[in-house]
């Protein structure tokens, strides 16, 4: 009898109502059930990323062992000198990373009369330097080690974000192939260097998922952060504008009808958390549809805030564009960035600064065709196309490999239709190209053979 009473008393004492303890218990149980499957899923993209980082480290180690080019000078070229450190870290902190680290350590140099040797810092947007300064403060590391550590963590998160995003749109097998190709794509060296591509990918994935779910505030805030990360982050403004326009113009009865007749797919039955991009978004009351405008209104605020900061510091509203054009030759010249580079590559095939973007242009055409045939959600296509359009508009750069890392849907489109031995061949070629390009970038043997990412 006593045992029965104890059992009944224990049963009565279990939280079974709508209270806080019951809610926390349910959340804990749900998290426990999902922890192991999530960990197993994360092992795939993280493992691919780590293996690709080993390949990059081996390529840099070869440059160091042979003492090639810039390895003789602590990997310091025309960019600001890196803080002292071990050679591997010095190599990972070179080129644009030197500017980001200088901003994190010393702030922006906005001297115009006369121009300073560090006025070019104005061209680099502030979110990554802010993260570097936070890492330096939290860890006590110097800015070089903090920069490499921050880039490594960002790369891990970005690889997982790409995998989960592709799985939501397709399936796990396609996500595996796409993430593998993304991690071993020639431009993926930028994920280990102090560059913004990995950070932009994380923000883009969050924003695109939020747009597909109708989470307008989240999408707008994240897009604003992306616009303070790199100019390509403004591509998310176009995505927000498109999604908001579609939500406002869609007829409520049409949305309701689609929501009623659309049966759940196999993937949504197996995983309720998966977004079915073909299904209708959440039904909103007519008056609430205008809340979608929050996303495009917030999206460019990071960029505009930085431009306002520069205007206040220099008194010149166009200072960012002026610095881009004067110091980095970044004026509007889409012809020079595409067919101009291709023409120069045909005339000077041994100059990597012409050859690599020309090969990138060919890859871009193929990827664009495959992306069109894939037909993912409109915001995904808009993001990839607009991000690459920003790059092509700059005559100094062209479609270099690292910009494919930021415009990752193009890489997904390349990996999606290829399977089996054909994909393994493609992945092998991409991995070899990654190693070769890493050697070229970090060595800078001669002016004609030097190539910035």
């Amino acid at each position: 009898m006593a045992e029965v009473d104890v059992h009944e008393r224990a049963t009565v004492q279990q939280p079974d109502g709508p209270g806080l303890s019951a809610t926390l218990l349910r959340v804990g149980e749900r998290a426990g059930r999902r922890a192991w499957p999530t960990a197993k899923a994360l092992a795939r993209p993280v493992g691919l990323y780590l293996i690709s980082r080993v390949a990059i480290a081996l390529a840099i180690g070869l440059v160091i062992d042979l003492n090639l080019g810039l390895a003789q000078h602590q990997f310091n070229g025309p960019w600001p000198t890196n803080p002292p450190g071990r050679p591997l870290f010095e190599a990972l902190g070179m080129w644009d990373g030197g500017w980001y680290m200088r901003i994190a350590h010393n702030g922006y140099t906005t001297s115009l009369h006369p121009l300073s040797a560090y006025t070019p810092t104005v061209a680099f947007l502030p979110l990554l330097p802010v993260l570097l300064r936070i890492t330096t403060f939290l860890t006590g590391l110097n800015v070089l080690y903090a920069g490499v550590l921050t880039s490594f963590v960002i790369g891990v998160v970005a690889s997982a974000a790409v995998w989960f995003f592709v799985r939501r749109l397709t399936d796990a097998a396609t996500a595996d192939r796409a993430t593998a190709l993304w991690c071993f794509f020639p431009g993926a060296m930028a994920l280990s260097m102090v560059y913004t591509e990995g950070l932009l990918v994380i923000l883009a994935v969050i924003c695109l998922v939020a747009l597909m779910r109708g989470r307008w505030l989240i999408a707008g805030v994240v897009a604003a952060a992306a616009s303070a990360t790199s100019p390509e982050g403004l591509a998310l403004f176009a995505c927000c504008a498109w999604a908001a326009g579609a939500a406002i113009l869609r007829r409520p009865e049409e949305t309701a009808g689609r929501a009623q007749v659309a049966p759940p797919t196999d993937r949504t039955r197996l995983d309720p958390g998966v977004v079915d991009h073909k299904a209708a978004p959440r039904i909103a009351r007519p008056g609430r549809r205008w809340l979608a405008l929050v996303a495009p209104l917030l999206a460019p605020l990071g960029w505009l805030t930085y431009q306002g900061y520069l205007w206040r510091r220099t008194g010149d509203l166009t200072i960012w564009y002026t610095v881009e054009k004067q110091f980095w030759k970044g004026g509007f010249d889409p012809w020079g960035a595409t067919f101009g580079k291709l023409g120069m590559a045909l005339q000077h095939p041994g100059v990597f600064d012409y050859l690599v973007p020309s090969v990138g242009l060919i890859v871009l055409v193929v990827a664009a065709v495959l992306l069109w045939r894939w037909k993912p959600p409109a915001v995904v296509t808009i993001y990839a196309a607009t991000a690459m359009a920003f790059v092509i508009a700059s005559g100094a750069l062209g479609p270099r490999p690292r910009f494919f890392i930021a415009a990752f849907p193009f890489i997904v489109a390349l990996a999606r239709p290829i399977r089996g031995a054909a994909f393994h061949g493609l992945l092998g070629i991409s991995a070899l190209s990654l190693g070769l390009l890493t050697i070229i970038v970090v060595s800078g043997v001669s002016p004609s053979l030097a190539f910035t990412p």
Side-chain angles (χ1 to χ4, degrees):
M1 179 65 69
E3 294 178 357
V4 173
D5 292 338
V6 170
H7 176 71
E8 290 179 351
R9 194 177 301 112
T11 303
V12 171
Q13 291 175 353
Q14 289 181 355
D16 193 29
L20 178 61
S21 59
T23 301
L24 293 176
L25 181 61
R26 287 194 297 271
V27 171
E29 291 176 350
R30 192 179 299 114
R33 288 195 302 268
R34 293 183 178 181
W36 177 242
T38 301
K40 288 199 302 183
L42 279 173
R44 301 178 184 181
V46 172
L48 289 168
Y49 178 75
L50 294 179
I51 294 172
S52 67
R53 298 313 97 182
V54 171
I56 290 174
L58 291 175
I60 297 175
L62 180 62
V63 174
I64 296 170
D65 187 59
L66 298 178
N67 201 28
L68 296 175
L70 295 176
Q72 303 174 27
H73 308 284
Q74 297 182 312
F75 295 100
N76 287 313
W79 269 228
T81 55
N82 291 329
R86 296 185 180 275
L88 176 62
F89 290 89
E90 292 169 350
L92 294 176
M94 62 189 302
W95 301 121
D96 285 3
W99 292 106
Y100 284 116
M101 289 186 292
R102 177 173 178 82
I103 296 167
H105 191 264
N106 299 316
Y108 286 98
T109 301
T110 54
S111 174
L112 298 180
H113 306 289
L115 289 173
S116 166
Y118 297 110
T119 301
T121 57
V122 167
F124 298 89
L125 300 186
L127 186 57
L128 181 58
V130 168
L131 294 181
L132 298 184
R133 183 167 290 187
I134 292 173
T135 304
T136 302
F137 174 77
L138 293 177
T139 63
L141 297 171
N142 75 9
V143 70
L144 174 61
Y145 292 121
V148 175
L149 174 62
T150 302
S151 296
F152 177 80
V153 174
I154 287 174
V156 171
V157 177
S159 63
V162 169
W163 190 89
F164 279 108
F165 185 73
V166 177
R167 192 195 67 167
R168 286 180 179 276
L169 297 183
T170 56
D171 52 59
T174 303
D176 288 342
R177 296 197 305 275
T179 307
L181 187 59
W182 185 79
C183 288
F184 285 94
F185 200 79
M189 77 188 80
L191 297 171
S192 290
M193 303 177 77
V194 188
Y195 274 66
T196 59
E197 275 66 30
L199 180 58
L200 180 58
V201 166
I202 296 171
L203 297 173
V205 167
I206 297 173
C207 180
L208 294 174
V209 171
L211 289 175
M212 289 188 286
R213 289 184 169 183
R215 308 290 186 178
W216 309 115
L217 180 59
I218 295 175
V221 170
V222 174
S227 72
T229 301
S230 72
E232 300 93 272
L234 287 169
L236 292 174
F237 168 72
C239 300
C240 291
W242 175 278
I248 292 171
L249 296 177
R250 185 181 296 115
R251 295 178 180 178
E253 59 272 17
E254 176 186 349
T255 302
R258 288 174 59 192
Q260 292 173 2
V261 302
T265 63
D266 291 338
R267 283 182 43 70
T268 53
R269 290 193 188 99
L270 294 174
D271 186 357
V274 171
V275 174
D276 183 4
H277 68 270
K278 295 182 180 179
R282 295 178 302 154
I283 302 173
R285 292 191 295 271
R288 296 179 62 88
R289 286 184 295 161
W290 293 96
L291 290 177
L293 291 176
V294 168
L297 289 175
L298 292 176
L301 286 186
W303 168 265
L304 294 176
T305 301
Y306 179 61
Q307 299 305 313
Y309 162 80
L310 293 180
W311 186 17
R312 184 175 181 274
R313 288 283 299 269
T314 65
D316 186 353
L317 183 60
T318 62
I319 181 59
W320 182 86
Y321 182 79
T322 301
V323 169
E324 276 280 345
K325 188 172 182 178
Q326 182 170 346
F327 288 94
W328 303 108
K329 300 179 182 178
F332 182 76
D333 185 13
W335 178 269
T338 53
F339 296 103
K341 293 277 188 184
L342 185 60
M344 294 300 293
L346 295 175
Q347 297 177 27
H348 308 281
V351 179
F352 292 127
D353 197 48
Y354 302 141
L355 179 61
V356 176
S358 298
V359 174
L361 180 62
I362 297 171
V363 173
L364 177 60
V365 172
V366 175
V369 172
L370 293 176
L371 183 62
W372 179 259
R373 294 184 62 182
W374 173 24
K375 290 182 171 50
V379 290
V380 177
T381 302
I382 291 170
Y383 167 72
T386 309
M388 193 60 76
F390 275 107
V391 174
I392 292 178
S394 174
L397 297 173
R400 298 180 178 227
R402 72 177 171 97
F403 296 123
F404 285 86
I405 297 301
F408 68 94
F410 284 121
I411 298 179
V412 178
L414 288 170
R416 192 185 68 90
I418 306 176
R419 296 174 175 82
F423 176 75
H424 293 148
L426 174 63
L427 185 61
I429 294 172
S430 183
L432 289 174
S433 301
L434 171 63
L436 178 60
L437 195 60
T438 300
I439 292 173
I440 294 171
V441 165
V442 301
S443 62
V445 175
S446 67
S448 63
L449 297 179
F451 180 76
T452 59

